[in-house]
Amino acid sequence: MAVAVIGVGHTKFGNRRDVNVPELAWEAMKQAFDSANVEQKDIDFFVVGTAGLWSSEAAVPSLMAEYAKLGVGSMRVEAACATGSAAIRVGYTAIESGEADVVLVLGVEKMQESPNPTVIEIIGRFGSYFWEFENFGLTFPAYYALHATAYMAKYNATEEDFARVAVKNHYYGAKNPNAQFQKEITLETALNSPYIAWPFKLYDCSPITDGAAAVVLASEEKVKEWGIEEKVWILSQGVGTGTANLSKRETFTSLKSAAFAAELAYKKAGIDMDAPYKQLDGANVHDCFTAAEIIAYEDLRFAKRGEGVELIRNEQTYIGGRIPVNLDGGLKAKGHPIGATGVSQAVEAYKQLLSKAEAGRQAEIKNGRWLTHNVGGTGHYSYVTIYSLEKR
Amino acid sequence: MAVAVIGVGHTKFGNRRDVNVPELAWEAMKQAFDSANVEQKDIDFFVVGTAGLWSSEAAVPSLMAEYAKLGVGSMRVEAACATGSAAIRVGYTAIESGEADVVLVLGVEKMQESPNPTVIEIIGRFGSYFWEFENFGLTFPAYYALHATAYMAKYNATEEDFARVAVKNHYYGAKNPNAQFQKEITLETALNSPYIAWPFKLYDCSPITDGAAAVVLASEEKVKEWGIEEKVWILSQGVGTGTANLSKRETFTSLKSAAFAAELAYKKAGIDMDAPYKQLDGANVHDCFTAAEIIAYEDLRFAKRGEGVELIRNEQTYIGGRIPVNLDGGLKAKGHPIGATGVSQAVEAYKQLLSKAEAGRQAEIKNGRWLTHNVGGTGHYSYVTIYSLEKR
């Protein structure tokens, strides 16, 4: 049973102290209902992706369901920063399995008002906390800096190369009305920003973000019954898990779980592993830090090992290049509300494939396929999903 | 695609300060692997049910996967005290949908060493925390006491009736080597124990527990390929969500979401709604508090409204009665490690249906069907699952 995204919702990302969590979530859910032309009574399962440790209130799906007037079954799913994609997995397998016809998937996170402990400590909990955070003080900028320096050492990449990713993602973020940062930056601005964890400077890091995104998923049967014209299909998904403890990783220039997930996703979708970008119109990759985007190019086989950096140097991931990446601004400029990010990527896949993205950031749609790459931790969880205008 | 439980694992429940979380989890996983006669390479998806707020370490699936040497995709699911059943749902829909062939579902919780805040506060977070816990100081014993007093007022039930549930569950818990409390109690012991939240006394409340349970789920195809003889099928599951805020509930003598979930499960399984107990050999119900078990009898249609209390008065939920309930000791005597409970119920369904339960607590298996009822919060989430010797 094929599964389609039939409607999407997306709040403004950024500082959302104007609303509480249910209000923020409802903004996205309401848009998704309207966009899919469905009502509460049409939904028969509700999945909420949220890391949720920023607040003492833990009964998030129940609170959201009450606010949205949904009485159907629900649950929360979490896979660190890949939480949103995990929620989509639970939603679409519920339909594929025949257990549900129409599922609402919500991703939501409100991180800016985190009380004690600090946001940085809470994010640190999604690594190998007791060993790496408490013993060595490894925070997430430092985690990814280990990967960045390994990549620099092995492939002669530079801080300037990483900054180019920030420049690209800000360039497109400036054109996305939902982005946290809607301004272009220059290479100089990025390079002159203060260091956070060498080689990363402020502009190499995705921000702390409040935001929500929602999608309505429906079975092929419902799509036919309702005569839905605007939809994209979930073609395939690959998932992988990495070790919690970084000292057990074989390499730092690749996230093994992401490469594994990509292979699975390509295989299921029948996409050529040698040049998958030829069968895709674009991708959203998990650029929580600039270097992570370059490593993602390689894990996703958009470039050979060591050549990912050439893609950004030669502007091959801008529109018109080999494969446009993060045309919504990515985590870097759009923002990264942990639980919402994977769902936000699905919203972007929907908009791009249906050519509904804003002017200046719409890819050319030829193959009708879009990839999303969503990573929890430093490859602790990897979810690669391929969306398509044509069903399997 | 039918889905079977082909192996189970279950740790001793209770105070498990002898092990850390991965060690505790591995005890259950190892048993499940052995019982199913599978190895790590056979597993293609890994679902972890854990509420997990007792520890600062949040990357639970990744930590467990590393410990167990699993590299396949994973995620954490949570639905308060129904977390284990939510994990089973994600596992079996992954197979039903064709996304996976063999899934390991783990439920684990280690609650006894909870640091700050206290266990009672953390459990309180799974209600409508900001409104009910912070404003009114409602803890979970108090939540369920509201239901108990409503039931007493409407149907003339007494504290003695509730105590009878504790006596029954301790009677069977005494025969279960994995139970936290392996001792019988008398009605007097229960009635003379100190009040926690009127009408509940110590023996009306399930304890704070460390424990893990695991099941290996497999597709019909794999069951055939491997020639698996000992297995039980997942016949159906119904799920429902209640309001977070108790003031929005229509009634306190029923958990609406549980009644809703039961109807769905019966309907899908083709079980007669008027007397479902005639087609079941027994059940595990969510007796987090004694009164909750009696309300469950009615939500599950084992008795008419107001007549649930008669079942316990007349020993109709002992072996030989209308329908035996909680022959493993239930949450009350076996213990209630939140994320493990739903998976533990699945283990019990497997053992009972295959007549593998210990002497004195084995039901007579005639219909080949067993029901589990797992509730998060006070009906914030309800999961009713029917296991069967015969596939759909």
Side-chain angles (χ1 to χ4, degrees):
Chain A
M1 173 76 74
V3 181
V5 180
I6 64 163
V8 301
H10 200 294
T11 72
K12 174 81 174 71
F13 278 9
N15 178 329
R16 295 303 309 272
R17 295 192 190 197
D18 56 317
V19 286
N20 64 22
V21 176
E23 288 165 347
L24 180 63
W26 176 244
E27 279 183 29
M29 289 194 274
K30 179 68 167 62
Q31 281 180 37
F33 283 154
D34 291 348
S35 153
N37 196 24
V38 299
E39 293 171 28
Q40 279 84 342
K41 68 170 174 49
D42 300 314
I43 304 294
D44 45 23
F45 192 50
F46 177 43
V47 188
V48 179
T50 188
L53 295 175
W54 336 92
S55 160
S56 304
E57 199 150 45
V60 183
S62 173
L63 285 158
M64 301 301 121
E66 178 185 320
Y67 199 92
K69 300 191 192 309
L70 288 166
V72 293
S74 66
M75 69 172 68
R76 184 166 80 91
V77 314
E78 180 263 310
C81 300
T83 290
S85 295
I88 284 175
R89 183 175 186 81
V90 173
Y92 91 78
T93 55
I95 295 172
E96 248 185 339
S97 67
E99 295 285 333
D101 291 314
V102 185
V103 176
L104 176 65
V105 180
L106 165 72
V108 62
E109 215 77 67
K110 206 159 178 305
M111 302 167 68
Q112 289 216 348
E113 280 180 297
S114 181
N116 273 320
T118 64
V119 166
I120 288 296
E121 199 210 308
I122 294 181
I123 296 174
R125 294 184 184 183
F126 291 102
S128 184
Y129 181 84
F130 288 136
W131 183 245
E132 291 165 357
F133 185 97
E134 292 209 340
N135 283 348
F136 306 118
L138 262 178
T139 62
F140 264 82
Y143 271 121
Y144 271 98
L146 292 174
H147 291 76
T149 50
Y151 190 90
M152 289 167 87
K154 191 162 178 185
Y155 301 123
N156 295 316
T158 64
E159 291 178 57
E160 195 173 305
D161 293 325
F162 299 152
R164 286 180 203 281
V165 173
V167 170
K168 170 177 73 68
N169 292 352
H170 272 268
Y171 174 78
Y172 288 118
K175 302 175 195 315
N176 178 0
N178 286 326
Q180 183 162 1
F181 302 128
Q182 291 169 44
K183 60 168 187 182
E184 295 184 29
I185 57 165
T186 63
L187 203 57
E188 289 65 41
T189 308
L191 287 170
N192 291 329
S193 63
Y195 277 104
I196 302 295
W198 184 82
F200 291 146
K201 293 162 291 294
L202 185 65
Y203 280 99
D204 289 296
C205 308
S206 60
I208 304 299
T209 310
D210 303 332
V215 294
V216 177
L217 305 179
S219 64
E220 191 177 347
E221 215 167 62
K222 277 287 171 191
V223 167
K224 277 186 194 160
E225 182 189 326
W226 288 342
I228 306 266
E229 291 189 0
E230 294 197 326
K231 77 268 175 185
V232 309
W233 301 94
I234 297 178
L235 194 62
S236 72
Q237 191 180 63
V239 287
T241 302
T243 65
N245 191 322
L246 289 202
S247 70
K248 301 201 177 169
R249 304 278 177 96
E250 291 157 25
T251 172
F252 287 82
T253 55
S254 161
L255 303 181
K256 196 178 161 189
S257 65
F260 176 80
E263 271 186 34
L264 285 179
Y266 291 143
K267 202 173 162 188
K268 280 189 208 167
I271 286 179
D272 176 21
M273 300 248 191
D274 289 331
Y277 48 85
K278 290 186 180 167
Q279 288 166 273
L280 299 167
D281 292 321
N284 276 67
V285 314
H286 198 88
D287 59 323
C288 49
F289 297 93
T290 49
E293 177 162 324
I294 293 175
I295 291 173
Y297 296 163
E298 300 178 13
D299 286 338
L300 294 168
R301 302 170 180 239
F302 297 168
K304 290 198 178 69
R305 289 286 165 204
E307 296 179 8
V309 66
E310 298 294 340
L311 289 189
I312 191 69
R313 280 180 193 153
N314 300 322
E315 302 194 344
Q316 289 298 308
T317 49
Y318 280 79
I319 292 171
R322 178 180 286 184
I323 180 165
V325 171
N326 288 335
L327 301 186
D328 58 359
L331 284 59
K332 176 66 206 78
K334 184 181 59 180
H336 179 27
I338 290 182
T341 287
V343 184
S344 168
Q345 290 180 331
V347 172
E348 176 67 1
Y350 174 95
K351 288 180 76 172
Q352 288 288 347
L353 288 172
L354 296 173
S355 296
K356 287 168 167 284
E358 288 76 11
R361 65 174 212 86
Q362 172 65 51
E364 191 190 344
I365 302 303
K366 296 172 296 187
N367 302 302
R369 284 175 180 168
W370 197 269
L371 178 145
T372 69
H373 159 272
N374 191 193
V375 173
T378 49
H380 293 65
Y381 313 101
S382 290
Y383 282 73
V384 174
T385 314
I386 299 171
Y387 297 89
S388 169
L389 287 174
E390 301 290 327
K391 69 180 167 63
R392 253 189 290 209
Chain B
M1 174 75 73
V3 181
V5 180
I6 63 164
V8 302
H10 199 294
T11 72
K12 173 84 173 73
F13 279 8
N15 178 329
R16 295 303 309 272
R17 294 191 191 199
D18 56 318
V19 286
N20 63 22
V21 175
E23 288 166 347
L24 180 63
W26 177 244
E27 279 184 28
M29 289 193 274
K30 179 69 168 61
Q31 281 181 36
F33 283 153
D34 291 348
S35 153
N37 196 24
V38 298
E39 294 170 27
Q40 278 86 341
K41 66 170 175 51
D42 299 313
I43 306 294
D44 44 23
F45 193 50
F46 176 41
V47 189
V48 179
T50 187
L53 295 176
W54 336 92
S55 160
S56 303
E57 200 149 44
V60 184
S62 173
L63 286 158
M64 302 300 121
E66 177 184 321
Y67 199 91
K69 301 192 194 304
L70 287 166
V72 294
S74 66
M75 68 171 71
R76 185 167 79 92
V77 313
E78 179 264 311
C81 300
T83 289
S85 294
I88 284 176
R89 182 174 187 81
V90 173
Y92 89 80
T93 55
I95 296 172
E96 248 186 337
S97 67
E99 295 285 334
D101 290 314
V102 185
V103 175
L104 176 65
V105 180
L106 165 72
V108 62
E109 214 79 67
K110 206 158 179 303
M111 302 167 67
Q112 289 214 350
E113 281 180 294
S114 181
N116 272 320
T118 65
V119 166
I120 288 297
E121 199 211 306
I122 294 180
I123 297 174
R125 294 183 184 183
F126 291 102
S128 183
Y129 181 84
F130 288 137
W131 183 245
E132 291 165 357
F133 185 95
E134 291 211 339
N135 283 348
F136 306 120
L138 263 177
T139 62
F140 265 83
Y143 270 121
Y144 271 98
L146 292 175
H147 290 77
T149 50
Y151 191 90
M152 291 167 86
K154 191 164 178 184
Y155 299 124
N156 295 317
T158 64
E159 291 178 58
E160 196 173 305
D161 293 325
F162 298 152
R164 286 179 203 280
V165 173
V167 170
K168 171 179 71 69
N169 294 352
H170 272 267
Y171 174 79
Y172 288 118
K175 302 175 197 313
N176 178 0
N178 286 326
Q180 182 162 1
F181 302 129
Q182 292 170 42
K183 61 170 187 180
E184 296 185 27
I185 58 165
T186 64
L187 205 56
E188 290 63 42
T189 307
L191 287 170
N192 291 330
S193 65
Y195 278 104
I196 302 293
W198 185 83
F200 291 145
K201 292 165 290 296
L202 185 65
Y203 280 97
D204 290 295
C205 308
S206 60
I208 304 298
T209 310
D210 302 332
V215 294
V216 176
L217 305 179
S219 64
E220 191 177 347
E221 216 167 61
K222 276 287 170 192
V223 166
K224 278 187 195 160
E225 182 188 327
W226 287 342
I228 306 268
E229 290 189 1
E230 294 197 326
K231 76 267 175 188
V232 309
W233 301 94
I234 298 178
L235 194 60
S236 72
Q237 190 181 61
V239 287
T241 303
T243 64
N245 191 323
L246 289 202
S247 70
K248 299 199 179 171
R249 304 278 177 94
E250 291 157 24
T251 173
F252 286 82
T253 55
S254 162
L255 304 181
K256 196 179 159 189
S257 66
F260 175 79
E263 270 185 36
L264 285 178
Y266 290 143
K267 202 173 161 187
K268 279 188 208 169
I271 286 179
D272 176 20
M273 300 248 191
D274 289 332
Y277 49 86
K278 291 186 180 168
Q279 289 167 272
L280 299 166
D281 291 321
N284 276 66
V285 313
H286 198 89
D287 60 323
C288 48
F289 298 92
T290 49
E293 176 163 324
I294 294 175
I295 291 174
Y297 295 162
E298 301 179 12
D299 286 337
L300 294 168
R301 299 171 182 240
F302 296 167
K304 292 197 178 69
R305 289 287 165 203
E307 295 179 9
V309 66
E310 296 294 339
L311 288 190
I312 192 69
R313 279 179 193 154
N314 300 323
E315 303 194 345
Q316 289 299 306
T317 49
Y318 280 80
I319 291 170
R322 178 179 287 182
I323 179 165
V325 170
N326 288 336
L327 301 185
D328 57 359
L331 283 59
K332 176 65 206 78
K334 183 183 58 179
H336 180 26
I338 290 183
T341 286
V343 184
S344 168
Q345 290 180 331
V347 173
E348 175 67 1
Y350 174 95
K351 288 181 75 172
Q352 288 287 347
L353 287 173
L354 296 174
S355 295
K356 287 168 167 284
E358 288 76 11
R361 64 173 213 85
Q362 173 64 52
E364 191 189 346
I365 303 302
K366 296 172 297 187
N367 302 301
R369 284 176 180 166
W370 198 270
L371 178 145
T372 69
H373 160 272
N374 191 194
V375 173
T378 49
H380 293 66
Y381 312 100
S382 289
Y383 283 73
V384 173
T385 315
I386 299 171
Y387 298 89
S388 170
L389 287 174
E390 301 289 327
K391 69 180 166 62
R392 250 188 294 207

